[in-house]
Amino acid sequence: GGLGIGVTSTCPVNLKRVPDKAWRVPGTVMVGYSGSIFLDGSEQRTEWCSENLSVGARLGLLVTRELGDLLIFVDGKIVVKVEKALSSITDEEDIYPIVDVFAATRVVTLLPSASPPA
């Protein structure tokens, strides 16, 4: 299975059409798929692959607005840290969560009141 998870500065109501992959939405930072990091359409590689998530794994995303870093957690442990990932997004811009699911991924549950791991 697989998925991509991240944030975008593109307001969902401003999308004229949904692209085939979420990382193609302008102003988007995504991590996942088969070991990829997408920074506004530009791809980098990472060792972590969302394909290797097990059933019931808890996946978390944390954005630090002051540094612009994006962190991905799996079951409370940092698996990816992208420093200054949001450097192209200004402090005045809103950011929106974005998830791209495909292959064997069947369910994603968003927990808006979740806290970052200690």
Side-chain angles (χ1 to χ4, degrees):
L3 63 91
I5 184 171
V7 295
T8 184
S9 61
T10 299
C11 180
V13 298
N14 293 337
L15 281 175
K16 292 184 179 19
R17 69 173 194 81
V18 177
D20 63 330
K21 295 288 183 200
W23 62 263
R24 291 189 172 133
V25 173
T28 296
V29 176
M30 302 223 30
V31 177
Y33 304 102
S34 297
S36 295
I37 298 169
F38 289 96
L39 303 173
D40 203 13
S42 175
E43 184 178 11
Q44 299 176 14
R45 302 298 300 161
T46 182
E47 290 184 20
W48 180 71
C49 293
S50 62
E51 297 175 333
N52 298 328
L53 288 169
S54 57
V55 173
R58 292 183 62 113
L59 181 65
L61 171 111
L62 175 68
V63 172
T64 63
R65 286 298 286 219
E66 61 280 352
L67 298 174
D69 295 347
L70 184 138
L71 293 88
I72 302 293
F73 299 86
V74 174
D75 296 326
K77 296 181 179 153
I78 297 173
V79 293
V80 178
K81 180 179 181 181
V82 186
E83 294 181 354
K84 299 183 177 156
L86 278 70
S87 61
S88 66
I89 299 174
T90 67
D91 288 339
E92 291 77 34
E93 291 179 279
D94 291 328
I95 56 173
Y96 307 89
I98 189 166
V99 178
D100 194 357
V101 296
F102 61 94
T105 300
R106 291 189 177 169
V107 176
V108 173
T109 304
L110 301 179
L111 303 173
S113 62
S115 299

